[in-house]
Amino acid sequence: MKIAGLDIGTTGCKCTVFDRSGNYLEKAYRDYPVSRSVSGHEVDVSVIMDAVYAVLSEMAAKYPDIAGIGVTSFGETFVAADGEGRPLCPAMLYTDPRGKEECQELVRKLGGKKIAEITGLRPHEMYSIAKLMWLRQNRPEVYARADCIFLMEDYVVYHLTGNCQIDYSLASRTMAFDIRKLEWSREIFDAAGVDPDRMSETVPPGTDAGVIREDAAKRTGLDGKTRVVSISHDQIAAAVGAGIFDSSEAADGAGTVECITPVFDSLPDMDVMYDGYFAVVPYVIPGKYAAYAFSYTGGALIQWCADTIAKKEKEWAKEDGESVNSYLEKRSASPTGLLVLPHFAGAATPYMDTGSEGAILGLTTATTAADIYRGCMEGVVYEMLCNLKALEGSGCRFTRLRATGGGARSEEWMQMKADILNLPITALETADAGTVGSAMMTGIALGIFRDLEEAAERMIERRETYLPRREMHGRYMKIYQRYERLYQTVRPLMEKEAG
């Protein structure tokens, strides 16, 4: 018997298979194109579904005894579909500019603080409800034909099982879900002029959606008894895959996006969360909540530096038979003294300023590509320290971090994080914490594991723990005092003249 985690991302999906003891076996991946223009950012969900069938087919051919598949996905993006689940138009991504005026309209009707009290989210046009309002007002013929409104998790679950259900954590990414009552907010839907009856039924994370339907089983080669489980929003699945089950620890997702996910034993101070644009999300454990503190450019900034600034070093590293990352890390020391504002794709929490841009300050003729590379690493961590300081007073109490993702394999970066954040940080073996978390919860749904603790004991492997060094922390803090003023100083200089 095997279990699998299916992770639907913005630009690709992967299916990872484990045996019943929780040992990793293999994974399949397929990417898909995203269309981005000035007027819209969209993805064809039929292409996503084709990729899902492809990865499931590849794994089913090698592991015909897959007993359960847990589905997790990225948030916000929705698809309007007919009664058969056929998409009626491309899906708008969270970065799509449409919905800004509609979000402002919703705030005028209900007030930003009230929306946040209900949904756990400070109003922003990225969330689904604003874009649903745009669809109703600007594409009324499409909206009128939409029998179902799906996000990606429940869209895939519907096509695999025929059941319409969405877990609480992903439902909350619509900005129309009541995180206290754990149901769709009629008040918000009424103010938006959107019919909530078109949405999927909300269920707890990790809820079994039933067996795979006959046509999906034939298309993928999966056994007709394979069960499908609605897991969660991908960041929640990653926190589970990191073994974060209470408020004493937080997950550090060191991937393309840098994201720290703390868990709260009860609702945090909502005023503090509102001020920092921190989302409050129902967690997989009843009564607990999670929050997201993140930077759009974590590993993405490091990769940009390696590809753009360090082209020659990349060639030298290849000649030496090592990665460019390892090569650069050996040729510079911390702290560099550089100030790197990592807003190369806009600012996430605690600013949520899509107009902010990146900056590198402190360059001289002696500055090397390795210095800039390490400065980018430092900038990402300084930005996360800004987030942790913004979380003070919220009820956040974690004293340790667990790191997953590709960045967790860098000993230099892990030690730097421990030193700057002044927290012990444990690097985990898995890079794909989302699929691990999905498989853990699938195993529980199938009765393979008793609970999260047993699943974690079987499936989560710690690699190394990095302890903060007092002297290095002090040196970093002298630079951080300047970094704290960087955004407010640079942002006005980046204002573009109209036209």
Side-chain angles (χ1 to χ4, degrees):
M1 179 190 293
K2 310 294 187 301
I3 51 178
L6 178 63
D7 189 348
I8 316 299
T10 308
T11 59
C13 69
K14 57 179 170 279
C15 179
T16 308
V17 179
F18 304 83
D19 65 22
R20 66 173 298 129
S21 297
N23 299 307
Y24 166 84
L25 297 176
E26 197 171 350
K27 71 177 176 182
Y29 177 82
R30 295 291 188 282
D31 57 17
Y32 29 79
V34 170
S35 171
R36 298 183 191 271
S37 66
V38 174
S39 59
H41 300 170
E42 299 177 334
V43 61
D44 182 346
V45 293
S46 297
V47 175
I48 292 180
M49 218 44 236
D50 288 341
V52 166
Y53 287 130
V55 295
L56 292 178
S57 298
E58 182 177 337
M59 290 296 93
K62 297 179 180 181
Y63 306 101
D65 59 338
I66 294 175
I69 300 167
V71 183
T72 183
S73 81
F74 64 107
E76 297 90 49
T77 298
F78 70 89
V79 54
D82 65 15
E84 300 300 316
R86 291 184 291 258
L88 301 173
C89 62
M92 287 183 276
L93 297 173
Y94 71 95
T95 54
D96 193 289
R98 290 169 288 185
K100 186 172 185 178
E101 292 179 2
E102 287 74 17
C103 184
Q104 293 170 348
E105 177 188 338
L106 199 58
V107 171
R108 283 193 297 270
K109 288 182 178 179
L110 297 176
K113 283 290 186 77
K114 182 172 185 178
I115 292 171
E117 280 292 322
I118 295 171
T119 68
L121 308 175
R122 182 163 173 166
H124 195 278
E125 62 266 23
M126 75 161 69
Y127 299 118
S128 318
I129 193 67
K131 289 173 170 44
L132 272 168
M133 292 170 68
W134 183 95
L135 184 71
R136 179 181 60 81
Q137 294 171 12
N138 294 273
R139 300 286 301 278
E141 74 288 353
V142 172
Y143 179 79
R145 293 172 55 207
D147 295 302
C148 305
I149 303 293
F150 296 108
L151 274 68
M152 290 303 103
E153 174 201 81
D154 50 323
Y155 178 76
V156 170
V157 167
Y158 172 78
H159 278 271
L160 293 180
T161 68
N163 293 324
C164 298
Q165 65 179 47
I166 183 172
D167 88 279
Y168 298 155
S169 69
L170 189 63
S172 74
R173 303 306 291 172
T174 62
M175 201 175 78
F177 181 76
D178 191 318
I179 62 170
R180 289 176 172 81
K181 297 179 179 179
L182 300 177
E183 62 186 28
W184 295 120
S185 170
R186 286 276 174 178
E187 185 173 10
I188 290 178
F189 274 102
D190 287 347
V194 175
D195 182 6
D197 294 335
R198 303 184 192 203
M199 310 298 291
S200 296
E201 177 188 0
T202 59
V203 296
T207 296
D208 189 340
V211 296
I212 191 168
R213 51 203 262 178
E214 186 177 352
D215 60 336
K218 287 181 179 178
R219 182 165 179 177
T220 60
L222 288 164
D223 187 282
K225 295 180 181 178
T226 302
R227 306 197 73 82
V228 178
V229 181
S230 298
I231 299 297
S232 67
H233 183 217
D234 54 9
Q235 293 293 353
I236 295 296
V240 172
I244 308 302
F245 304 140
D246 60 42
S247 59
S248 66
E249 294 183 295
D252 173 35
T256 302
V257 170
E258 178 77 16
C259 182
I260 291 180
T261 306
V263 170
F264 296 82
D265 295 325
S266 60
L267 272 173
D269 185 301
M270 298 303 287
D271 288 333
V272 172
M273 306 306 278
Y274 184 89
D275 290 342
Y277 288 92
F278 298 113
V280 181
V281 184
Y283 198 49
V284 299
I285 302 169
K288 295 184 186 290
Y289 294 84
Y292 307 140
F294 66 104
S295 171
Y296 290 128
T297 47
L301 179 59
I302 309 307
Q303 191 63 47
W304 169 85
C305 186
D307 292 343
T308 307
I309 305 294
K311 291 182 179 179
K312 183 58 68 175
E313 287 76 9
K314 209 170 188 178
E315 295 176 9
W316 294 336
K318 188 175 182 180
E319 291 173 3
D320 289 351
E322 65 179 321
S323 72
V324 65
N325 309 81
S326 175
Y327 183 92
L328 290 166
E329 287 174 4
K330 292 176 183 176
R331 284 160 175 80
S332 182
S334 283
T336 63
L338 296 176
L339 293 178
V340 178
L341 187 66
H343 297 174
F344 284 55
T349 55
Y351 312 112
M352 292 309 293
D353 179 1
T354 56
S356 185
E357 297 176 343
I360 303 176
L361 281 68
L363 298 172
T364 71
T365 54
T367 304
T368 66
D371 293 332
I372 297 174
Y373 180 87
R374 188 176 287 269
C376 288
M377 295 169 67
E378 292 170 350
V380 170
V381 188
Y382 288 142
E383 186 77 353
M384 298 317 294
L385 182 55
C386 281
N387 274 279
L388 298 193
K389 288 187 176 297
L391 278 167
E392 291 177 355
S394 67
C396 197
R397 295 196 298 270
F398 68 87
T399 57
R400 305 179 66 88
L401 288 171
R402 292 190 177 199
T404 66
R409 300 201 174 277
S410 168
E411 294 182 7
E412 288 287 333
W413 208 8
M414 289 297 99
Q415 186 61 60
M416 182 189 296
K417 286 183 176 183
D419 290 338
I420 293 176
L421 302 178
N422 203 28
L423 292 169
I425 180 167
T426 299
L428 304 180
E429 279 294 341
T430 179
D432 295 330
T435 50
V436 170
S438 296
M440 287 168 60
M441 294 175 69
T442 301
I444 294 170
L446 269 59
I448 296 173
F449 307 131
R450 286 190 311 275
D451 50 29
L452 287 170
E453 285 72 21
E454 182 185 358
E457 187 176 338
R458 298 270 197 94
M459 298 189 68
I460 298 175
E461 185 178 354
R462 300 173 181 84
R463 191 167 70 252
E464 186 172 353
T465 296
Y466 301 84
L467 301 176
R469 298 171 296 184
R470 181 180 299 178
E471 180 185 350
M472 287 301 296
H473 177 68
R475 292 174 63 188
Y476 280 122
M477 288 308 95
K478 290 178 181 177
I479 299 168
Y480 177 72
Q481 288 174 5
R482 291 187 287 129
Y483 182 89
E484 280 186 301
R485 305 193 299 272
L486 188 59
Y487 169 73
Q488 299 296 343
T489 302
V490 169
R491 184 62 177 96
L493 302 176
M494 297 294 105
E495 293 290 351
K496 305 295 193 299
E497 292 185 11

